[in-house]
Amino acid sequence: MSGEISRAELLAARFEAERPQLRSVAYRMLGSLAEAEDAVQEAWLKLSRSDTDEVRKLGAWLTTVVGRVCLDQLRSRASRREDPLPEQDGQVRLPDPVVSGAATLDPVHGILVADSVGIALMVVLETLSPAERVAFVLHDMFDVPFDGIAEVLGRTAASTRQLASRARRRVQGATPAADTDDGRKREVVEAFLAASRGGDFDALLTVLDPEVVARSDGGTLVPSVLRRGAADVAAQAIAFARFAADGRLVLVNGSPGVVSFAGGRPLSVMSFTIHRGRITGLDILTDPTRLAALGLGA
């Protein structure tokens, strides 16, 4: 019995070593922190019930399992049509943000912050078909060979390569160019925050690109909002700032962003896309249910 327990403990330890990587894979696949955790847990259940004596590379085996679980989830979403494509029929569905720098950041999300992709890219990933998303994420983000991805998708390696290539073109065509200097981006976000708080419309116009696009996801009870143009976005930013008693600079998916609070509860998480010193994209999560699940605290 002791030998069996020791083997089980060893297997559990090996799985825990792979968990951060698996969570990163699942998050990029699904855009949901809770669903990503569920996918990882399902991989553990499958591992604990499998004969792994012949498994030479446990990490690759687990990544394949997580990939299949996520593929099933993405296909289920598509069939239910519960998650409309971003901006389809006026609806906006933003992925869960990974927030750091807030008082109650869950430390298990640290790996997502350290090796994150921006919300703008995650929004584009939402527009891919399930097979395209799996092929792109596994190959382009995690260097999984096409032979391995083909096993997940139930396709040939050649067709899997084509899926990834098509997804790559769509991502490159839709992902906005962004500045990479974090210090400069922080200055722009701070300027936006100060101008919003001060009700300074002209100052906001100086930090907003004339063609800025702002997407707001309020969940099922609050209509989603898509705004275009600096004047419209600036006016909305000033109006919203009146309700938020406290706006704090944080990192959202590894890039400067803002969490706004009122009465000690979060009102929004804002992610910025900045190009040449101006804000070209603003993604805002205001869904109270999803904000509560993030565990943010003033």
Side-chain angles (χ1 to χ4, degrees), residues 86-87 118-128 136 166-178 213 215 228 273 280-281 283:
E87 302 179 23
I119 292 294
L121 175 56
M122 294 291 290
V123 168
V124 177
L125 293 180
E126 295 281 344
T127 69
L128 301 177
F136 177 81
R166 184 163 66 241
R168 190 179 308 115
R169 289 194 299 270
R170 292 182 62 182
V171 168
Q172 291 173 346
T175 306
V213 175
R215 291 175 289 244
R228 300 180 185 274
T273 300
T280 59
D283 294 300

Side-chain angles (χ1 to χ4, degrees), residues 6-175:
S6 176
R7 183 178 181 279
E9 290 176 345
L10 176 61
L11 189 63
R14 292 177 65 192
F15 178 81
E16 287 304 315
E18 299 291 342
R19 183 185 288 272
Q21 174 85 348
L22 298 176
R23 188 185 293 115
S24 294
V25 171
Y27 170 65
R28 286 156 178 73
M29 294 274 201
L30 301 173
S32 165
L33 295 171
E35 290 179 2
E37 192 60 43
D38 288 344
V40 173
Q41 188 61 23
E42 189 167 339
W44 161 247
L45 292 175
K46 183 170 181 60
L47 175 65
S48 63
R49 297 167 182 167
S50 300
D51 181 1
T52 58
D53 290 340
E54 301 300 321
V55 177
R56 294 184 178 180
K57 296 182 179 180
L58 183 63
W61 187 88
L62 287 169
T63 297
T64 298
V65 172
V66 168
R68 287 174 178 152
V69 172
C70 292
L71 178 63
D72 289 343
Q73 179 66 18
L74 290 170
R75 285 173 172 167
S76 178
R77 285 184 189 176
S79 65
R80 294 195 310 265
R81 297 183 182 274
E82 291 182 357
D83 292 290
L85 296 180
E87 302 179 23
Q88 176 181 324
D89 298 329
Q91 296 297 309
V92 177
R93 177 67 165 86
L94 297 180
D96 287 346
V98 178
V99 181
S100 58
T104 55
L105 172 71
D106 187 342
V108 303
H109 293 151
I111 186 63
L112 296 178
V113 175
D115 181 25
S116 60
V117 292
I119 292 294
L121 175 56
M122 294 291 290
V123 168
V124 177
L125 293 180
E126 295 281 344
T127 69
L128 301 177
S129 72
E132 287 174 338
R133 187 166 186 171
V134 169
F136 177 81
V137 169
L138 289 182
H139 182 265
D140 285 44
M141 294 185 173
F142 294 96
D143 297 321
V144 177
F146 285 119
D147 287 346
I149 303 172
E151 292 183 18
V152 175
L153 297 178
R155 302 185 181 219
T156 66
S159 66
T160 300
R161 185 187 300 272
Q162 291 176 347
L163 280 172
S165 178
R166 184 163 66 241
R168 190 179 308 115
R169 289 194 299 270
R170 292 182 62 182
V171 168
Q172 291 173 346
T175 306

